[in-house]
Amino acid sequence: MSIKACDVKESEIANQVIKYLKMYCKKGAIAYVHSFGCQLNVSDGEKIKGILSSLGFKFTDDYKESDLILLNTCAVRESAEDTVYGTLGNMKKYKKENPDVIIALCGCMASEPKTIEKIKNHYPFVDILFGTSALSQLPKLLLEHYEGNKLAYDTKEYNEEFGADYQIRESNFKASVPIMFGCNNFCTYCIVPYVRGRERSRSADVIVHEVEELVAKGYKEIMLLGQNVNSYGNDLKDGMTFAQLLRRLNDIDGDFWIRFMSSHPKDAGTDLLDAIIECDKVGKHLHLPVQCGSNSVLKRMNRHYTAEKYLETVNYLRERSEGFALSSDIMVGFPNETEEEFCDTLKLVEEVKFDNIFTFIYSKRSGTVAAEMEDVTTDSEKRHRMERLLKLQREVATENYKRFIGKTVRVLVEGESKQGEGWLFGKSSAYTIVEFKGYKSLIGTFVNVKITDARNWAVSGELV
Ligand code: SAH
Ligand code: SF4
Ligand code: F3S
């Protein structure tokens, strides 16, 4: 039987689990939930906390204080997996001393078939394992565990709509809302399509309702999430597109900003770009991962666009929206990347003038197509290219951020800044980090800041 998220409180299974928890939780039902990886995983972690909370759990940041340890894992790089196995290794002693503690593994690694075998063979103290589409099965798995199943697991794909009813959000002014799950793109280096399955879009009515509720509760920033948000709707029968969804969300009354990530350059059509420019609540920033500037490498990566097409998109935005901000993911050292191909990436970075880039050295991910490619480029060459890319980006960003000096920008205040006593930071519509002096009570509100100074990763100024 599958439990819908909305049924957790009333379900027979939940009642039985709660009885067991009372018997076995020595610390009074305390859970440690740790999410690795991207924002989608963090959002899943918040939903898992919601389910656990409805079973009576409270939460801690110290696993040594807990009755249940849940690692919500990322599989994007093998080093991410090594981190999880290292963490599990560290927890072995705690489990030995506290045999009633439950250790659970979920997230993207848990959706890989080889993980179950590895856990059974090398980490037999793990009690529960479930995949990214089986969050709602957690109460059932807890029950199976208490009824004697050595490793209770479920990695099936459940098609039920798993909404936000139970989500325990970290912030009371910033909320993420997944609009779709999975990915159909199969970039040759990437494991995500294998662990998150094919694209599934949530219904626009459900998303709009969820955002209306969040805005009514006072949330000021709504981050729409998906591996490729701009292919949103391709699988829906009603013809809804991401551009139309943005316009519907923009029509919701209230003072709030809409952001989204990630977008794929191959699906960034003018209908979407126009919506971003015209919708006043949509941030004037696009995170558009280009990966690299070489057409031959883009082809080997199976990305389905060229550097020229990417630049066309960038120019379209910049011609229509002054100072429009772009950020990107860039990968260095894809198998057999030549010096010339790498220089195409440097050229593109110079031309686009990204405000911010997230950089990665290609890392071989077993299970992907690229993992089978011979690679003659040495690791030290790859590291050297990365240093050259970072140096260039620092120069570009230093120039870029000067465009804000003298301007007054609206900022959503996020917290205290490391800059020093009395300093706060927030983000502008262009997703620029803005630092300024102000009272802590401003956190979670919009303010105006006049920019007086710029660095290569942030700007600072004075409250207006
Ligand atoms: N869906 C998003 C990206 C998800 S993964 C998109 O298409 O943009 C986030 C980033 O991790 C990717 O953009 C890529 O730059 C990086 N990445 C993925 N697999 C990688 C690998 N095997 N080695 C190095 N970086 C990788
Ligand atoms: Fe991975 Fe490509 Fe899908 Fe992004 S679009 S998740 S990089 S396969
Ligand atoms: Fe990692 Fe899974 Fe996100 S592999 S990057 S947590 S979708």
Side-chain angles (χ1 to χ4, degrees):
M1 184 186 128
S2 98
I3 299 174
K4 290 215 176 203
C6 49
D7 297 339
V8 172
K9 272 185 199 138
E10 296 85 30
S11 88
E12 182 52 32
I13 292 179
N15 290 338
Q16 285 173 268
V17 171
I18 290 166
K19 269 188 217 146
Y20 279 118
L21 294 175
K22 285 192 178 131
M23 272 151 57
Y24 290 107
C25 287
K26 302 274 175 348
K27 305 220 157 65
I30 306 290
Y32 168 83
V33 177
H34 186 81
S35 294
F36 299 84
C38 66
Q39 294 195 48
L40 269 167
N41 238 29
V42 172
S43 167
D44 283 350
E46 291 180 349
K47 287 177 182 164
I48 292 167
K49 277 187 163 181
I51 298 178
L52 291 174
S53 161
S54 65
L55 294 172
F57 277 96
K58 301 268 182 294
F59 302 96
T60 173
D61 290 330
D62 178 2
Y63 77 83
K64 291 186 177 161
E65 294 296 322
S66 70
D67 298 294
L68 182 147
I69 294 172
L70 194 140
L71 300 181
N72 184 22
T73 62
C74 170
V76 81
R77 271 167 287 273
E78 306 223 354
S79 58
E81 299 205 358
D82 295 343
T83 308
V84 170
Y85 286 122
T87 310
L88 273 179
N90 293 338
M91 288 169 172
K92 190 175 172 179
K93 188 163 165 257
Y94 180 63
K95 170 81 177 181
K96 204 165 177 191
E97 289 163 1
N98 303 275
D100 287 334
V101 165
I102 299 173
I103 299 193
L105 198 78
C106 64
C108 292
M109 262 174 81
S111 294
E112 287 180 274
K114 68 169 191 194
T115 304
I116 297 181
E117 284 316 302
K118 189 158 175 177
I119 291 292
K120 278 184 182 161
N121 293 333
H122 301 287
Y123 302 87
F125 54 90
V126 172
D127 305 292
I128 289 176
L129 185 145
F130 55 100
T132 51
S133 302
L135 308 189
S136 59
Q137 304 306 303
L138 180 53
K140 176 195 80 175
L141 293 169
L142 281 165
L143 184 60
E144 283 181 18
H145 162 75
Y146 281 123
E147 291 188 339
N149 194 341
K150 206 159 168 354
L151 174 63
Y153 67 88
D154 193 341
T155 53
K156 284 202 286 291
E157 216 174 79
Y158 291 86
N159 280 329
E160 59 201 10
E161 176 73 44
F162 192 83
D165 358 5
Y166 278 84
Q167 199 156 344
I168 296 195
R169 297 180 182 277
E170 297 287 320
S171 164
N172 57 10
F173 59 91
K174 284 172 37 159
S176 61
V177 175
I179 62 167
M180 60 185 299
F181 304 101
C183 178
N184 290 357
N185 293 317
F186 290 94
C187 302
T188 52
Y189 50 82
C190 184
I191 196 72
V192 170
Y194 303 92
V195 292
R196 287 262 169 186
R198 295 298 70 72
E199 287 172 3
R200 283 108 51 213
S201 303
R202 298 177 68 206
S203 115
D205 288 343
V206 172
I207 296 167
V208 169
H209 179 68
E210 203 166 302
V211 173
E212 280 170 347
E213 288 201 326
L214 288 165
V215 172
K217 282 185 191 153
Y219 280 87
K220 297 285 186 289
E221 179 185 292
I222 307 295
M223 174 69 87
L224 309 175
L225 293 180
Q227 287 301 346
N228 181 9
V229 285
N230 44 356
S231 64
Y232 170 82
N234 287 353
D235 57 319
L236 294 177
K237 297 210 169 48
D238 58 7
M240 191 74 184
T241 65
F242 182 54
Q244 289 165 353
L245 178 69
L246 278 184
R247 290 185 189 276
R248 273 191 71 181
L249 295 172
N250 193 64
D251 285 342
I252 296 174
D253 282 337
D255 190 13
F256 68 102
W257 278 344
I258 302 164
R259 302 191 185 279
F260 54 90
M261 70 188 309
S262 281
S263 303
H264 196 301
K266 78 175 168 59
D267 300 316
T270 50
D271 61 330
L272 171 62
L273 306 181
D274 290 340
I276 298 171
I277 294 165
E278 289 163 19
C279 292
D280 58 324
K281 292 178 180 127
V282 175
K284 297 301 170 254
H285 158 253
L286 182 60
H287 180 67
L288 194 63
V290 68
Q291 307 301 347
C292 77
S294 150
N295 289 341
S296 42
V297 176
L298 285 170
K299 199 159 191 173
R300 302 209 290 281
M301 288 177 164
N302 194 32
R303 291 286 290 179
H304 295 285
Y305 55 86
T306 59
E308 292 74 27
K309 161 79 174 43
Y310 189 89
L311 288 169
E312 242 175 63
T313 303
V314 170
N315 292 336
Y316 189 93
L317 288 164
R318 293 252 165 88
E319 279 161 17
R320 287 162 181 79
S321 176
E322 200 203 332
F324 192 94
L326 281 133
S327 60
S328 203
D329 292 356
I330 297 190
M331 195 189 296
V332 166
F334 188 76
N336 304 314
E337 179 190 68
T338 63
E339 171 64 19
E340 204 188 341
E341 287 170 333
F342 172 66
C343 286
D344 285 341
T345 297
L346 294 182
K347 250 187 266 160
L348 183 120
V349 167
E350 228 171 336
E351 191 160 350
V352 176
K353 299 189 171 46
F354 294 108
D355 274 4
N356 194 9
I357 56 173
F358 298 89
T359 53
F360 306 93
I361 293 183
Y362 166 77
S363 117
K364 186 171 166 166
R365 186 61 187 77
S366 58
T368 64
V369 172
E372 303 304 317
M373 295 177 185
E374 290 277 338
D375 188 4
V376 295
T377 319
T378 63
D379 287 350
S380 72
E381 180 55 40
K382 292 182 185 194
R383 280 195 299 274
H384 182 52
R385 285 181 190 165
M386 175 61 95
E387 282 164 22
R388 288 160 65 197
L389 172 64
L390 292 175
K391 180 169 176 286
L392 173 65
Q393 175 58 24
R394 274 195 298 275
E395 289 162 13
V396 168
T398 304
E399 272 312 300
N400 264 1
Y401 284 123
K402 286 185 187 157
R403 73 186 188 276
F404 295 113
I405 294 181
K407 299 224 157 79
T408 297
V409 295
R410 193 158 195 245
V411 174
L412 175 59
V413 188
E414 294 194 12
E416 290 177 86
S417 151
K418 294 199 180 92
Q419 177 94 279
E421 186 69 29
W423 282 81
L424 301 175
F425 82 98
K427 295 211 190 73
S428 68
S429 162
Y431 217 40
T432 309
I433 299 172
V434 180
E435 296 184 305
F436 57 95
K437 277 193 163 169
Y439 293 113
K440 274 193 264 181
S441 56
L442 293 174
I443 294 172
T445 67
F446 285 112
V447 297
N448 289 316
V449 178
K450 182 159 188 199
I451 306 304
T452 53
D453 202 6
R455 276 156 290 160
N456 63 20
W457 56 275
V459 297
S460 52
E462 286 154 14
L463 265 180
V464 176

